[in-house]
Amino acid sequence: MEKIFTELYKDIHSAVQTGQNPLKKFLFATRQHVLIIFYIASQQDQKSTLEDICFNVSPKVVSRSTIQNILKEGYKINFFEKEINEKDKREKFYKLTNDSNKMMLDWAFSQKTIFSSLNELIKK
C-alpha cells in the first residue's frame, strides 16, 4: 500500500512544481481547481457554463467569485476555451482545450497504472 501512496504523492507533488507542465500545474493548483475542472470534464461534450457550475458545486466549497477567477485564469493559459451558446448569445460554455484534455487523459492513464498494483495487493 505504501508503494501506491508514494507514487500518488510523487505524481501530485511533481505536478505543482515550478517548471512543470503549466496545464497540470493549473489542474492541481487548489482543491477548488480540481473540483471545477473535473466537473466540466464530466459534463456532456466536456463543457459547462458559469451558472451551471455555480448551481452544481456547493458555495460552501467554492464561491462564485472563485469559480469566475478559475475560469478566467484557465482561459488565459489555454486550459479552457470559450464557446458562445447558440441558443443564448449572452451565455458562454467553458470547455477543455485539446491540450488540456490530452493532459488529463494521460494523467488518468498514469493513475490506472499506479492503481493496477492494487490487484496484486488484494491477491496476497
Side-chain angles (χ1 to χ4, degrees):
M1 217 43 184
E2 293 86 10
K3 181 182 175 191
I4 292 169
F5 288 112
T6 299
E7 291 301 316
L8 287 171
Y9 164 75
K10 287 179 185 177
D11 183 59
I12 294 171
H13 188 264
S14 71
V16 296
Q17 296 298 312
T18 55
Q20 294 299 317
N21 180 339
L23 298 179
K24 198 170 184 183
K25 187 175 180 178
F26 178 76
L27 170 63
F28 291 112
T30 66
R31 178 181 60 180
Q32 290 85 355
H33 282 73
V34 173
L35 285 171
I36 292 166
I37 293 166
F38 276 87
Y39 176 77
I40 293 170
S42 71
Q43 298 306 295
Q44 186 174 0
D45 298 326
Q46 293 187 321
K47 64 184 182 180
S48 187
T49 64
L50 169 64
E51 296 306 319
D52 190 40
I53 297 167
C54 291
F55 180 77
N56 288 289
V57 178
S58 172
K60 292 179 181 177
V61 178
V62 188
S63 71
R64 180 183 182 85
S65 62
T66 299
I67 293 170
Q68 284 179 306
N69 289 334
I70 290 171
L71 293 173
K72 284 179 187 175
E73 180 186 357
Y75 178 74
K76 187 176 177 182
I77 66 162
N78 291 323
F79 195 98
F80 300 121
E81 57 187 67
K82 290 182 193 178
E83 183 179 290
I84 303 283
N85 183 350
E86 292 303 318
K87 295 177 184 172
D88 182 352
K89 304 284 187 198
R90 298 169 296 172
E91 198 170 55
K92 295 174 192 75
F93 288 109
Y94 287 87
K95 63 185 281 183
L96 303 177
T97 61
N98 289 336
D99 289 341
S100 60
N101 192 34
K102 182 185 178 325
M103 180 275 305
M104 289 190 57
L105 285 173
D106 291 345
W107 177 81
F109 281 115
S110 75
Q111 301 314 299
K112 181 181 177 189
T113 303
I114 292 170
F115 282 106
S116 67
S117 58
L118 275 176
N119 290 333
E120 296 168 17
L121 289 172
I122 292 170
K123 292 176 185 175
K124 291 181 182 181

